Every structure is written in structure tokens, then in C-alpha cells.
């Protein structure tokens, strides 16, 4: 196994991990570090990733014990990594390092938390209309993550794709794919610094329908 200083693992996850990446996809890279090894060099990680990809990565750093805890407690992120990631050459897979995650038990709790964030968004926009792009981007995150979480109960297996609200069985998505894509662009503008899109949708209707959808999803997983 390749170990660079305190780095135990470098893995690709997200859309690149499951092979569904497109022009809007981030290159999500997970780096697992040995606990107590101190700060590791991002330049070294960039050098290793550049051997396989010509795209700048979005790096998530985790200590070994923290990630082991996620696997031991069945955190949904651990299931995402277990099912849709692969290690770069020279590193063990995350499954080889941590085994199979425990059963995920927090579906309803996690959905309620995301639903609460979603409930706060209309008031935030009313208070600060200039932040509408940021808040719509957060709406996208809530819709995506609620659906991802619910899929662990409502689908044969959890789905972690960008369009997860459209994958839930017998629950119609709250908005069209076109409007959903606009929300995703709002998120990218907030996190990547890309040009903010023109918000040419009925924001109040989108938020109203999104809240109603979140409520219906919550009822389905009870």
C-alpha cells in the first residue's frame, strides 16, 4: 500500500466515482490521513491526482478515526463512499480499509434536519432578497440530499446522483428538471464563483412546492 507521509488513502467519489460525470461535475477527491500526522501537503495530493486527471479536484480531508467512525455507525456518507468510490493506484480501497458500513438508521432524523433548513429559506429571502441565488442554491442542496437520504429506504439502494429527486418511486419531483438545473447553477455560483444565473422562475412557487414535496417524502419514510 502506498503511504505518502501521513496520507493513507486517496479516493475518487461523487459523479466521477460512479462514472456519471459530465461537464458540470466536480472531481471529488477524498484524502484519508493518519491521525496525529499533522497537516499534509495539498500540493502532494494535487500531484498524485494529476497523474490520472487533468481537472482540478475538490478535496475532502478526513482523519482515519473520523472516517472509521462513519463506517462503524452506518453514516450515509460512508455508504456513498462504499458503493461509489475507488482508490487511486497504490492505495487500498475504502472497503478494504474500513469494511462494510453498518446499517444506516438515521433516515427520518436527517430528512427532518434538511426539511428544517428548507423551511427557513423563504424567510431568509424575504429578509435579504439580494441573497436569492445563494438561498436557491441551498434549496437545491436540500432537495438533492433529502432525496438521497430517502432513497436509502424507498429504493432498492441509496442513490447519490445530482438528480436524485427524480429517482424516488411514486413521489413526483417538486419542480421541472429545467428549474432544478437552474437551482444547481445557483449552487455552483455560490460555491465555485461561476456567473450567477438569471433567476427567471417563480421563486415563491418553487419554495412552496419544494416544502410540500419534502413533507410528502418525510411521510413516506415514516
Amino acid at each position: 500500500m502506498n503511504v505518502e507521509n501521513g496520507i493513507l488513502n486517496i479516493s475518487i467519489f461523487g459523479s466521477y466515482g460512479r462514472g456519471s460525470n459530465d461537464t458540470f461535475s466536480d472531481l471529488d477527491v477524498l484524502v484519508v490521513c493518519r491521525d496525529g500526522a499533522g497537516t499534509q501537503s495539498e500540493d502532494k495530493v494535487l500531484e498524485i491526482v494529476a497523474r490520472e486527471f487533468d481537472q482540478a479536484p475538490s478535496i475532502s480531508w478526513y482523519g482515519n478515526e473520523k472516517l472509521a467512525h462513519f463506517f462503524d455507525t452506518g453514516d450515509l456518507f460512508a455508504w456513498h463512499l462504499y458503493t461509489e468510490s475507488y482508490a487511486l493506484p497504490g492505495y487500498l480501497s475504502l472497503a478494504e480499509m474500513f469494511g462494510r458500513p453498518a446499517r444506516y438508521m438515521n433516515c427520518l432524523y436527517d430528512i427532518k434536519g434538511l426539511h428544517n433548513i428548507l423551511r427557513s429559506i423563504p424567510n431568509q429571502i424575504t429578509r435579504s432578497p439580494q441573497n436569492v441565488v445563494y438561498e436557491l442554491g441551498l434549496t437545491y442542496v436540500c432537495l438533492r440530499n433529502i432525496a438521497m437520504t430517502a432513497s436509502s429506504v424507498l429504493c432498492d439502494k441509496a442513490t447519490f446522483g445530482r438528480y436524485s429527486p427524480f429517482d424516488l418511486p411514486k413521489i413526483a419531483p417538486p419542480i421541472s428538471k429545467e428549474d432544478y438545473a437552474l437551482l444547481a447553477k445557483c449552487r455552483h455560483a455560490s460555491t465555485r464563483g461561476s456567473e450567477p444565473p438569471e433567476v427567471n422562475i417563480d421563486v415563491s412557487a418553487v419554495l412552496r412546492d419544494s416544502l410540500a414535496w419534502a413533507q410528502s417524502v418525510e411521510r413516506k419514510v415514516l
Side-chain angles (χ1 to χ4, degrees):
M1 180 179 66
N2 185 16
V3 177
E4 299 281 351
N5 299 319
I7 296 175
L8 302 177
N9 176 275
I10 302 178
S11 289
I12 305 300
F13 69 104
S15 57
Y16 276 84
R18 64 179 163 269
S20 64
N21 52 289
D22 56 29
T23 55
F24 297 104
S25 296
D26 288 328
L27 175 58
D28 293 310
V29 174
L30 179 87
V31 181
V32 184
C33 299
R34 181 187 297 111
D35 292 284
T39 302
Q40 299 301 306
S41 170
E42 183 172 293
D43 289 343
K44 186 62 179 179
V45 174
L46 295 175
E47 176 188 330
I48 293 170
V49 173
R51 297 171 191 166
E52 306 293 327
F53 300 94
D54 59 4
Q55 179 177 346
S58 173
I59 303 174
S60 298
W61 299 83
Y62 283 89
N64 184 64
E65 290 185 9
K66 180 68 171 180
L67 207 56
H69 176 72
F70 284 170
F71 274 70
D72 290 343
T73 58
D75 190 276
L76 194 60
F77 183 53
W79 278 104
H80 177 27
L81 296 174
Y82 180 78
T83 58
E84 298 185 349
S85 73
Y86 64 89
L88 290 185
Y91 296 96
L92 294 177
S93 71
L94 296 172
E96 291 173 307
M97 292 178 65
F98 302 110
R100 181 182 177 89
R103 183 181 177 187
Y104 175 55
M105 301 292 288
N106 294 327
C107 178
L108 183 58
Y109 176 84
D110 290 343
I111 287 175
K112 285 181 178 291
L114 291 162
H115 194 177
N116 284 336
I117 295 172
L118 194 58
R119 286 191 186 100
S120 72
I121 290 174
N123 186 51
Q124 292 296 331
I125 292 177
T126 299
R127 292 173 57 187
S128 303
Q130 70 275 13
N131 292 336
V132 65
V133 169
Y134 172 83
E135 298 296 343
L136 288 178
L138 187 57
T139 301
Y140 159 76
V141 172
C142 289
L143 296 180
R144 182 196 65 190
N145 290 0
I146 286 172
M148 287 180 181
T149 305
S151 70
S152 68
V153 172
L154 302 178
C155 301
D156 292 336
K157 64 177 183 177
T159 62
F160 298 100
R162 183 188 308 144
Y163 286 92
S164 54
F166 297 84
D167 295 330
L168 294 182
K170 299 180 181 179
I171 303 177
I175 56 178
S176 68
K177 275 196 173 181
E178 181 180 8
D179 288 350
Y180 184 81
L182 175 64
L183 300 189
K185 289 179 181 179
C186 288
R187 181 62 177 175
H188 295 159
S190 301
T191 59
R192 302 178 184 175
S194 57
E195 185 70 21
E198 180 183 355
V199 179
N200 54 1
I201 58 175
D202 185 336
V203 172
S204 295
V206 164
L207 295 175
R208 181 192 65 237
D209 293 345
S210 295
L211 284 166
W213 172 85
Q215 185 64 59
S216 68
V217 172
E218 194 172 310
R219 286 195 298 266
K220 283 283 189 180
V221 302
L222 284 174

